[in-house]
Protein backbone atom coordinates (compact mmCIF):
# COMPACT_ATOMS: atom_id res chain seq x y z
CA UNK A 1 0.00 0.00 0.00
CA UNK A 2 1.10 3.55 -0.50
CA UNK A 3 0.58 6.30 2.01
CA UNK A 4 1.68 9.86 2.65
CA UNK A 5 1.90 11.26 6.16
CA UNK A 6 2.15 14.91 7.05
CA UNK A 7 2.32 14.87 10.81
CA UNK A 8 2.06 18.64 11.22
CA UNK A 9 -1.57 19.63 10.93
CA UNK A 10 -1.00 23.33 11.49
CA UNK A 11 2.06 25.52 11.84
CA UNK A 12 2.22 29.20 12.74
CA UNK A 13 5.33 31.27 12.29
CA UNK A 14 6.14 34.94 12.32
CA UNK A 15 7.18 36.54 9.07
CA UNK A 16 10.87 36.07 8.17
CA UNK A 17 11.17 32.87 10.18
CA UNK A 18 12.24 29.68 8.44
CA UNK A 19 9.79 26.79 8.49
CA UNK A 20 10.05 23.13 7.51
CA UNK A 21 7.07 21.04 6.49
CA UNK A 22 7.53 17.32 6.96
CA UNK A 23 6.43 14.57 4.59
CA UNK A 24 6.92 10.85 5.08
CA UNK A 25 5.79 8.37 2.46
CA UNK A 26 5.33 4.62 2.17
CA UNK A 27 5.66 2.59 -0.99
CA UNK A 28 7.19 -0.71 -2.02
CA UNK A 29 7.89 0.51 -5.53
CA UNK A 30 11.40 1.43 -6.58
CA UNK A 31 10.16 3.91 -9.18
CA UNK A 32 7.91 6.65 -7.93
CA UNK A 33 7.50 10.39 -7.91
CA UNK A 34 7.02 12.86 -5.10
CA UNK A 35 5.29 16.19 -5.36
CA UNK A 36 4.51 19.24 -3.30
CA UNK A 37 1.43 21.34 -3.99
CA UNK A 38 0.30 24.61 -2.41
CA UNK A 39 -3.39 25.36 -1.87
CA UNK A 40 -3.99 29.06 -1.12
CA UNK A 41 -7.35 30.27 0.18
CA UNK A 42 -8.65 30.54 -3.39
CA UNK A 43 -8.68 26.75 -3.49
CA UNK A 44 -6.60 25.99 -6.57
CA UNK A 45 -3.74 23.59 -5.95
CA UNK A 46 -0.52 24.94 -7.37
CA UNK A 47 2.33 22.64 -8.36
CA UNK A 48 5.62 23.40 -6.62
CA UNK A 49 7.99 20.53 -7.34
CA UNK A 50 8.34 16.97 -8.62
CA UNK A 51 11.15 14.56 -7.77
CA UNK A 52 11.64 11.04 -9.05
CA UNK A 53 12.85 8.27 -6.80
CA UNK A 54 16.23 8.07 -8.49
CA UNK A 55 17.12 11.68 -7.92
CA UNK A 56 17.98 12.39 -4.32
CA UNK A 57 19.66 15.65 -5.05
CA UNK A 58 18.22 18.41 -2.95
CA UNK A 59 16.73 21.34 -4.78
CA UNK A 60 16.53 25.03 -4.07
CA UNK A 61 14.23 27.46 -5.82
CA UNK A 62 14.40 30.94 -4.39
CA UNK A 63 13.18 30.78 -0.80
CA UNK A 64 12.00 27.19 -1.24
CA UNK A 65 14.14 24.10 -0.75
CA UNK A 66 13.42 20.40 -0.67
CA UNK A 67 15.26 17.62 1.12
CA UNK A 68 14.63 14.13 -0.29
CA UNK A 69 16.00 11.23 1.75
CA UNK A 70 15.13 7.73 0.58
CA UNK A 71 16.73 6.19 3.66
CA UNK A 72 14.05 7.76 5.84
CA UNK A 73 11.32 7.93 3.17
CA UNK A 74 11.05 11.64 3.69
CA UNK A 75 10.60 14.59 1.36
CA UNK A 76 10.66 17.70 3.51
CA UNK A 77 9.98 21.23 2.33
CA UNK A 78 11.62 24.31 3.82
CA UNK A 79 10.58 27.91 3.31
CA UNK A 80 13.30 30.39 4.21
CA UNK A 81 12.40 33.87 5.40
CA UNK A 82 8.68 33.16 5.26
CA UNK A 83 6.24 35.77 4.03
CA UNK A 84 2.55 36.33 4.67
CA UNK A 85 1.83 35.23 1.09
CA UNK A 86 3.19 31.80 1.96
CA UNK A 87 0.14 31.20 4.13
CA UNK A 88 -1.66 28.22 2.60
CA UNK A 89 -2.22 24.51 2.96
CA UNK A 90 0.66 22.48 1.59
CA UNK A 91 0.21 18.94 0.33
CA UNK A 92 2.81 16.30 -0.26
CA UNK A 93 1.83 13.64 -2.83
CA UNK A 94 3.15 10.30 -4.04
CA UNK A 95 2.73 8.91 -7.53
CA UNK A 96 3.60 5.38 -8.58
CA UNK A 97 3.90 4.43 -12.23
CA UNK A 98 0.52 3.46 -13.58
CA UNK A 99 -1.25 4.54 -10.41
CA UNK A 100 -2.94 7.66 -9.22
CA UNK A 101 -1.71 10.39 -6.96
CA UNK A 102 -1.98 9.81 -3.24
CA UNK A 103 -2.06 13.05 -1.30
CA UNK A 104 -1.17 13.58 2.31
CA UNK A 105 -3.64 15.29 4.64
CA UNK A 106 -1.90 18.63 4.27
CA UNK A 107 -0.20 21.10 6.60
CA UNK A 108 -1.83 24.47 7.14
CA UNK A 109 0.85 27.15 7.36
CA UNK A 110 0.01 30.53 8.82
CA UNK A 111 2.61 33.25 8.50
CA UNK A 112 1.85 36.12 10.81
CA UNK A 113 3.03 39.67 10.07
CA UNK B 1 -7.01 32.64 -18.71
CA UNK B 2 -5.90 29.31 -20.16
CA UNK B 3 -5.93 27.26 -16.96
CA UNK B 4 -8.36 24.58 -15.84
CA UNK B 5 -11.80 26.05 -15.26
CA UNK B 6 -14.66 24.57 -13.29
CA UNK B 7 -18.31 25.51 -13.13
CA UNK B 8 -20.15 26.21 -10.93
CA UNK B 9 -17.75 27.28 -8.22
CA UNK B 10 -20.35 26.68 -5.54
CA UNK B 11 -23.54 24.64 -5.56
CA UNK B 12 -26.05 24.36 -2.73
CA UNK B 13 -28.68 21.70 -3.15
CA UNK B 14 -31.21 19.75 -1.16
CA UNK B 15 -30.70 16.10 -0.39
CA UNK B 16 -32.04 13.91 -3.17
CA UNK B 17 -31.44 16.38 -5.98
CA UNK B 18 -29.08 15.78 -8.88
CA UNK B 19 -26.13 18.05 -9.55
CA UNK B 20 -23.69 18.34 -12.43
CA UNK B 21 -20.25 19.90 -12.48
CA UNK B 22 -18.31 20.85 -15.56
CA UNK B 23 -14.56 20.97 -16.08
CA UNK B 24 -12.71 22.53 -18.98
CA UNK B 25 -9.11 21.36 -18.94
CA UNK B 26 -6.12 23.07 -20.48
CA UNK B 27 -6.77 22.67 -24.19
CA UNK B 28 -3.88 20.45 -25.23
CA UNK B 29 -4.03 18.19 -22.16
CA UNK B 30 -5.11 14.64 -22.92
CA UNK B 31 -5.59 13.49 -19.32
CA UNK B 32 -8.35 14.71 -17.05
CA UNK B 33 -8.92 13.78 -13.44
CA UNK B 34 -11.62 14.29 -10.85
CA UNK B 35 -10.76 14.45 -7.17
CA UNK B 36 -12.83 15.05 -4.07
CA UNK B 37 -11.57 17.01 -1.11
CA UNK B 38 -13.29 17.22 2.25
CA UNK B 39 -12.42 19.70 4.96
CA UNK B 40 -9.00 19.13 6.44
CA UNK B 41 -8.09 16.35 4.03
CA UNK B 42 -6.04 15.99 0.92
CA UNK B 43 -7.66 15.37 -2.46
CA UNK B 44 -8.93 11.82 -3.03
CA UNK B 45 -8.94 10.33 -6.50
CA UNK B 46 -12.35 9.69 -8.09
CA UNK B 47 -11.80 9.00 -11.77
CA UNK B 48 -9.52 9.63 -14.70
CA UNK B 49 -9.84 10.02 -18.47
CA UNK B 50 -7.31 9.73 -21.19
CA UNK B 51 -8.85 11.59 -24.09
CA UNK B 52 -12.48 10.41 -24.09
CA UNK B 53 -11.84 7.05 -22.45
CA UNK B 54 -12.55 6.67 -18.74
CA UNK B 55 -9.68 4.47 -17.69
CA UNK B 56 -10.06 4.21 -13.96
CA UNK B 57 -12.67 4.75 -11.28
CA UNK B 58 -12.14 4.79 -7.55
CA UNK B 59 -14.22 2.74 -5.17
CA UNK B 60 -15.28 6.12 -3.79
CA UNK B 61 -17.29 6.59 -6.95
CA UNK B 62 -20.61 4.98 -6.09
CA UNK B 63 -23.32 4.19 -8.62
CA UNK B 64 -24.80 7.63 -8.02
CA UNK B 65 -21.73 9.22 -9.56
CA UNK B 66 -21.08 9.34 -13.28
CA UNK B 67 -18.46 11.16 -15.27
CA UNK B 68 -18.13 11.74 -18.98
CA UNK B 69 -15.71 13.32 -21.37
CA UNK B 70 -17.57 12.90 -24.64
CA UNK B 71 -15.21 14.53 -27.10
CA UNK B 72 -12.02 14.31 -25.15
CA UNK B 73 -12.25 17.95 -24.19
CA UNK B 74 -14.49 19.11 -21.33
CA UNK B 75 -15.81 16.71 -18.73
CA UNK B 76 -18.91 16.53 -16.55
CA UNK B 77 -19.35 14.90 -13.18
CA UNK B 78 -22.93 14.16 -12.20
CA UNK B 79 -24.11 13.14 -8.77
CA UNK B 80 -27.60 11.71 -8.59
CA UNK B 81 -29.78 11.64 -5.48
CA UNK B 82 -27.29 13.67 -3.49
CA UNK B 83 -26.64 12.84 0.15
CA UNK B 84 -25.22 15.04 2.88
CA UNK B 85 -22.03 12.98 2.78
CA UNK B 86 -21.46 14.19 -0.77
CA UNK B 87 -20.73 17.68 0.53
CA UNK B 88 -17.16 18.38 -0.49
CA UNK B 89 -14.97 20.28 -2.92
CA UNK B 90 -14.81 18.56 -6.29
CA UNK B 91 -11.53 19.25 -8.01
CA UNK B 92 -10.69 18.77 -11.65
CA UNK B 93 -7.14 18.51 -12.92
CA UNK B 94 -5.51 17.93 -16.26
CA UNK B 95 -2.11 16.87 -17.48
CA UNK B 96 -0.27 16.21 -20.70
CA UNK B 97 1.70 13.26 -21.92
CA UNK B 98 1.79 9.55 -22.34
CA UNK B 99 3.62 8.89 -19.13
CA UNK B 100 1.72 9.03 -15.89
CA UNK B 101 4.30 11.22 -14.29
CA UNK B 102 3.40 14.71 -15.21
CA UNK B 103 2.36 17.41 -12.87
CA UNK B 104 -1.34 18.00 -12.45
CA UNK B 105 -2.85 21.39 -13.18
CA UNK B 106 -5.85 21.93 -10.94
CA UNK B 107 -8.91 24.08 -11.28
CA UNK B 108 -10.28 26.08 -8.38
CA UNK B 109 -12.87 23.45 -7.60
CA UNK B 110 -16.61 23.21 -7.30
CA UNK B 111 -17.85 23.26 -3.74
CA UNK B 112 -20.98 21.20 -3.13
CA UNK B 113 -23.16 21.73 -0.07
CA UNK B 114 -26.00 19.27 0.40
CA UNK B 115 -28.63 20.42 2.90
Amino acid sequence: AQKVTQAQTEISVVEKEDVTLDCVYETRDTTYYLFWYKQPPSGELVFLIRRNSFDEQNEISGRYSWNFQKSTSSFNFTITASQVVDSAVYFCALLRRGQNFVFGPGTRLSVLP
Amino acid sequence: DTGVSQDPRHKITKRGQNVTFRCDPISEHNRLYWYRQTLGQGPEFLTYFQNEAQLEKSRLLSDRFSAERPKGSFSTLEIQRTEQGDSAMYLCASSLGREYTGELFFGEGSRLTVL
Side-chain angles (χ1 to χ4, degrees):
Chain A
Q2 54 178 355
K3 183 181 176 182
V4 175
T5 301
Q6 295 178 255
Q8 304 147 309
T9 305
E10 293 191 36
I11 301 176
S12 288
V13 298
V14 177
E15 205 169 18
K16 297 185 183 177
E17 286 185 1
D18 298 347
V19 58
T20 295
L21 310 181
D22 297 334
C23 172
V24 174
Y25 62 93
E26 293 178 28
T27 181
R28 294 180 181 175
D29 286 21
T30 55
T31 300
Y32 53 88
Y33 301 83
L34 296 165
F35 295 75
W36 275 95
Y37 279 84
K38 173 183 180 180
Q39 188 174 40
S42 62
E44 180 179 348
L45 282 101
V46 177
F47 167 81
L48 295 178
I49 190 171
R50 178 185 69 185
R51 305 299 282 173
N52 72 55
S53 53
F54 299 107
D55 183 2
E56 286 193 73
Q57 194 169 15
N58 292 330
E59 183 159 338
I60 298 175
S61 176
R63 296 184 298 107
Y64 295 169
S65 62
W66 291 269
N67 184 347
F68 177 27
Q69 292 195 347
K70 286 180 75 171
S71 60
T72 56
S73 297
S74 65
F75 186 43
N76 297 336
F77 172 30
T78 297
I79 301 175
T80 303
S82 59
Q83 300 176 1
V84 172
V85 294
D86 296 328
S87 297
V89 181
Y90 290 86
F91 293 97
C92 181
L94 169 67
L95 176 65
R96 295 154 56 202
R97 289 185 84 91
Q99 302 295 320
N100 286 296
F101 281 76
V102 172
F103 285 85
T107 297
R108 180 177 297 279
L109 174 65
S110 298
V111 181
L112 307 174
Chain B
D1 191 326
T2 56
V4 177
S5 63
Q6 293 188 244
D7 182 70
R9 293 292 311 283
H10 198 171
K11 178 73 175 179
I12 300 173
T13 191
K14 293 182 179 178
R15 189 176 54 188
Q17 298 294 306
N18 299 342
V19 296
T20 299
F21 300 115
R22 175 180 169 124
C23 170
D24 287 89
I26 294 172
S27 59
E28 64 269 24
H29 284 186
N30 56 334
R31 297 173 182 266
L32 185 148
Y33 309 79
W34 285 99
Y35 283 81
R36 182 172 71 185
Q37 185 178 21
T38 52
L39 205 61
Q41 299 298 316
E44 295 174 294
F45 170 76
L46 292 179
T47 190
Y48 141 65
F49 293 84
Q50 181 159 320
N51 300 314
E52 66 275 10
Q54 187 174 18
L55 296 187
E56 190 171 346
K57 293 197 295 186
S58 160
R59 293 175 205 169
L60 292 175
L61 218 63
S62 76
D63 292 344
R64 297 183 296 105
F65 288 69
S66 62
E68 294 183 343
R69 193 184 184 196
K71 297 181 181 178
S73 56
F74 73 91
S75 175
T76 57
L77 176 68
E78 181 182 15
I79 309 174
Q80 297 181 326
R81 305 181 304 281
T82 52
E83 302 173 356
Q84 288 185 324
D86 296 332
S87 295
M89 177 78 87
Y90 290 86
L91 299 168
C92 177
S94 67
S95 70
L96 177 66
R98 294 180 303 167
E99 290 289 318
Y100 204 117
T101 60
E103 66 185 86
L104 298 182
F105 293 81
F106 282 87
E108 292 182 313
S110 293
R111 182 171 295 283
L112 174 64
T113 303
V114 182
L115 302 176

